[in-house]
């Protein structure tokens, strides 16, 4: 039977169905992988010399992230080119359309990986600068564009439809602001004007996302109070507010640090005089105030995120046991890794051992979750194919996707999540145990 499964896996005929059912939500895998490598780079305890193995592991994760991003983009392009109507489906079906933001977030984590490992190269910094503007454009399209589409074209939403995944419309701009904060010191080394452009757009994106986030969190909180927890398959999305708040905390802290240093180095002041009629002591005090403002905003956002950590964890515990694994479980990895990363930055700035321990603990928790989700995804997704599911395809494709059974490996699709094999199987199929003589092979899950 194992040989039959291997032959079926490499034969290729079922990959058409997997690509057809490939959704943007799969990019949450790349999000989680990318932010975990960032956690290793920013680990709160010093890792130097022979102990730099943690950073090396992060580099391996970054390579994996880049490879997965290329494969997933190829899958998505094939899907949308062969079935353009499915792009319209993804765009109009809210909140599933929010997962389009996962592509922009994944792109941002790739940029941060380049900065982390190749910041000493001017060429790499300029590549990241160009990629940043691409990330900003994609994030704006998601954060503003998808909301406008929902207002104009999408179906009516009831309070029971509100879920944590709505927050995914704001996370791309927060992730882009985080990228701006990471990139600023290195862009400033090449061009101060370019660095200021990144700083201004980073702040604008941050404030745009924070306003929208507070609207969504208010609605989501009211939904939880009124209608209790979401259904078990999507309860993991309750962790997504942690992602938005933690990315916001990390971004505002990093940008405030750069702004503080910029004020001191250039003696810049908000006046029309050049140089401004301000003493060095005044500018120094202003810079310190900006730095502390970033720290306080970060601490406040992380306090808010901690509330959602407690709420989402309680939601998971009250819905145990989890009956099946699905892609939504990757919604646990990115938020908690973002949370750990923000605490790591704060602990280093404040030199606080308690914060260091808290950040390191969540880094370990996130690593365990990533390993669990990776193993389950490899088995249920790429081996068995049961994770490749896109409900409602029949409403958009109907019979347009019909082909003769011979070109589809003797398989007849039923559009109800299953397929059947015709009785005219070859002798080779019977020998391998995949023909009609094998009862388990006559009705296999396609999704």
């Amino acid at each position: 039977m194992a040989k039959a499964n291997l032959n079926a896996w490499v034969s290729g005929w079922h990959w058409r169905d997997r690509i057809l059912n490939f959704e943007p939500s799969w990019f949450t895998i790349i999000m989680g992988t990318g932010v975990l490598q960032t956690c290793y780079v920013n680990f709160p305890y010093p890792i130097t010399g022979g102990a730099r193995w943690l950073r090396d592991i992060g580099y391996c994760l970054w390579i994996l992230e880049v490879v997965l991003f290329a494969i997933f983009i190829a899958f998505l392009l094939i899907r949308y080119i062969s079935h353009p109507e499915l792009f319209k489906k993804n765009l109009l079906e809210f909140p599933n359309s929010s997962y389009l933001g996962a592509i922009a977030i994944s792109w941002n984590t790739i940029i941060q990986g380049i900065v982390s490992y190749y910041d000493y190269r001017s060429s790499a910094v300029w590549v990241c600068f160009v990629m940043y503007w691409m990330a900003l454009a994609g994030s704006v399209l998601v954060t503003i564009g998808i909301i406008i589409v929902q207002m104009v074209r999408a179906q009516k939403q009831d309070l029971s439809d509100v879920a944590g995944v709505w927050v995914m419309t704001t996370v791309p701009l927060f992730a882009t602001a985080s990228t701006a904060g990471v990139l600023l010191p290195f862009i400033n080394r090449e061009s101060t004007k370019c660095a200021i452009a990144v700083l201004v757009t980073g702040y604008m994106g941050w404030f745009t996302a924070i306003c929208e986030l507070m609207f969504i969190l208010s609605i989501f909180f009211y939904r939880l109070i009124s209608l209790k927890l979401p259904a078990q398959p999507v309860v993991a999305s309750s962790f997504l507010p942690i992602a938005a708040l933690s990315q916001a905390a990390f971004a505002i802290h990093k940008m405030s640090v750069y702004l503080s240093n910029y004020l001191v180095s250039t003696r810049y002041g908000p006046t029309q005089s050049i140089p401004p009629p301000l003493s060095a002591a005044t500018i120094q005090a202003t810079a310190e105030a900006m730095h502390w403002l970033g720290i306080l905003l970060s601490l406040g956002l992380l306090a808010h995120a901690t509330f959602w950590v407690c709420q989402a964890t309680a939601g998971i515990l009250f819905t145990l046991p989890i009956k099946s694994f699905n892609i939504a479980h990757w919604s646990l990895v990115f938020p908690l890794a973002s949370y750990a990363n923000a605490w790591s930055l704060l602990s280093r700035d404040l030199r606080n051992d308690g914060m260091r321990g808290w950040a390191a603990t969540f880094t370990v928790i996130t690593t365990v979750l990533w390993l669990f989700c990776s193993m389950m995804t490899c088995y249920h997704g790429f081996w068995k194919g049961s994770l490749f599911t896109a409900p409602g395809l029949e409403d958009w494709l109907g019979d347009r996707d019909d082909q003769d059974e011979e070109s589809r490996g003797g398989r007849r699709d039923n559009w109800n999540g299953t397929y059947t094999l015709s009785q005219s199987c070859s002798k080779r199929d019977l020998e391998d145990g995949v023909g009609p003589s094998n009862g388990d092979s006559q009705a296999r899950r396609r999704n």
Side-chain angles (χ1 to χ4, degrees):
M1 190 64 182
K3 180 181 178 182
N5 287 337
L6 181 61
N7 289 338
W9 197 89
V10 300
S11 63
W13 59 261
H14 65 299
W15 280 100
R16 175 186 171 277
D17 296 309
R18 298 187 182 195
I19 293 176
L20 184 65
N21 286 273
F22 188 83
E23 291 279 330
S25 58
W26 278 79
F27 281 85
T28 55
I29 299 175
I30 303 176
M31 288 166 45
T33 303
V35 77
L36 184 59
Q37 67 87 16
T38 306
C39 287
Y40 291 161
V41 171
N42 297 326
F43 197 68
Y45 294 101
I47 303 211
T48 57
R52 289 178 62 87
W53 55 270
L54 196 59
R55 184 181 176 90
D56 294 337
I57 293 176
Y59 183 76
C60 293
L61 288 177
W62 179 71
I63 295 295
L64 174 62
E65 175 191 13
V66 173
V67 172
L68 288 178
F69 186 85
I71 294 173
F72 287 4
I73 283 292
F75 280 6
L76 210 58
L77 287 176
I78 294 172
R79 183 180 194 249
Y80 289 152
I81 291 174
S82 59
H83 300 284
E85 60 271 33
L86 293 184
F87 178 74
K88 182 179 180 181
K89 172 184 181 294
N90 284 147
L91 198 61
L92 294 182
E93 289 185 348
F94 192 75
N96 288 333
S97 59
S98 303
Y99 278 113
L100 289 169
I103 303 174
I105 299 169
S106 301
W107 185 255
N108 276 290
T109 58
I110 291 175
I111 299 173
Q112 294 180 31
I114 298 175
V115 175
S116 297
Y117 303 110
Y118 298 100
D119 56 358
Y120 57 91
R121 295 185 178 180
S122 295
S123 58
V125 173
W126 285 115
V127 166
C128 290
F129 179 70
V130 174
M131 293 174 69
Y132 166 79
W133 294 107
M134 297 170 63
L136 181 62
S139 299
V140 169
L141 284 175
V142 172
T143 302
I144 299 178
I146 286 181
I147 295 298
I148 293 176
V149 169
Q150 306 320 309
M151 293 177 179
V152 176
R153 297 292 304 274
Q155 296 179 352
K156 178 182 177 181
Q157 300 288 328
D158 296 323
L159 185 60
S160 58
D161 298 326
V162 179
V165 71
W166 283 33
V167 176
M168 280 291 290
T169 58
T170 68
V171 179
L173 269 183
F174 285 132
T176 303
S178 296
T179 300
V182 171
L183 188 57
L184 278 169
F186 307 102
I187 285 293
N188 187 75
R189 187 181 65 198
E190 306 295 331
S191 170
T192 301
K193 289 185 178 180
C194 291
I196 294 301
V198 171
L199 178 68
V200 171
T201 54
Y203 269 120
M204 290 180 66
W206 188 91
F207 280 108
T208 300
I210 202 70
C211 293
E212 184 177 323
L213 174 65
M214 294 309 163
F215 296 149
I216 295 174
L217 287 184
S218 299
I219 299 171
F220 184 51
F221 182 78
Y222 179 68
R223 179 250 183 271
L224 291 175
I225 295 296
S226 302
L227 302 176
K228 311 309 176 188
L229 295 174
Q232 189 185 77
V234 295
V235 72
S237 66
S238 298
F239 281 82
L240 288 173
I242 305 168
L245 293 165
S246 300
Q247 287 286 328
F250 182 87
I252 197 66
H253 191 170
K254 291 289 286 186
M255 290 190 294
S256 296
V257 169
Y258 172 79
L259 180 57
S260 174
N261 294 331
Y262 176 79
L263 294 179
V264 173
S265 62
T266 62
R267 295 193 61 191
Y268 184 85
T271 66
Q272 295 182 359
S273 302
I274 302 177
L278 300 174
S279 65
T282 300
I283 292 179
Q284 182 68 37
T286 304
E288 286 294 325
M290 292 303 304
H291 193 163
W292 277 106
L293 180 60
I295 290 174
L296 291 175
L297 285 173
S298 176
L299 192 59
L301 290 166
L302 286 175
H304 192 178
T306 302
F307 163 77
W308 289 102
V309 169
C310 298
Q311 182 277 325
T313 303
I316 290 288
L317 294 177
F318 277 113
T319 55
L320 289 176
I322 303 298
K323 297 180 180 179
S324 61
F325 178 83
N326 57 65
I327 288 297
H329 288 94
W330 277 97
S331 299
L332 298 167
V333 179
F334 182 81
L336 294 180
S338 299
Y339 184 72
N341 202 31
W343 277 112
S344 293
L345 177 61
L346 198 59
S347 68
R348 287 191 171 208
D349 225 2
L350 297 179
R351 302 178 301 280
N352 184 279
D353 290 335
M355 292 180 180
R356 284 194 182 100
W358 188 247
T361 299
F362 272 88
T363 300
V364 173
I365 292 173
T366 305
T367 301
V368 173
L369 286 172
W370 185 88
L371 290 172
F372 169 76
C373 290
S374 298
M375 290 187 293
M376 297 297 287
T377 302
C378 289
Y379 178 69
H380 291 287
F382 292 100
W383 181 257
K384 295 182 66 176
S386 59
L387 293 184
F388 290 88
T389 175
L393 284 183
E394 66 275 12
D395 297 333
W396 291 84
L397 297 181
D399 295 332
R400 288 184 55 187
D401 197 44
D402 286 347
Q403 297 181 10
D404 59 279
E405 294 180 29
E406 182 179 355
S407 66
R408 308 175 84 172
R411 187 184 82 265
R412 180 186 296 110
D413 289 315
N414 296 325
W415 284 122
N416 61 354
T418 64
Y419 62 82
T420 57
L421 293 174
S422 67
Q423 298 296 319
S424 57
C425 297
S426 67
K427 180 179 179 181
R428 179 65 178 172
D429 290 334
L430 293 174
E431 292 175 353
D432 289 338
V434 298
S437 60
N438 189 326
D440 292 336
S441 301
Q442 291 189 25
R444 298 176 183 267
R445 294 288 299 171
R446 182 188 64 183
N447 298 326

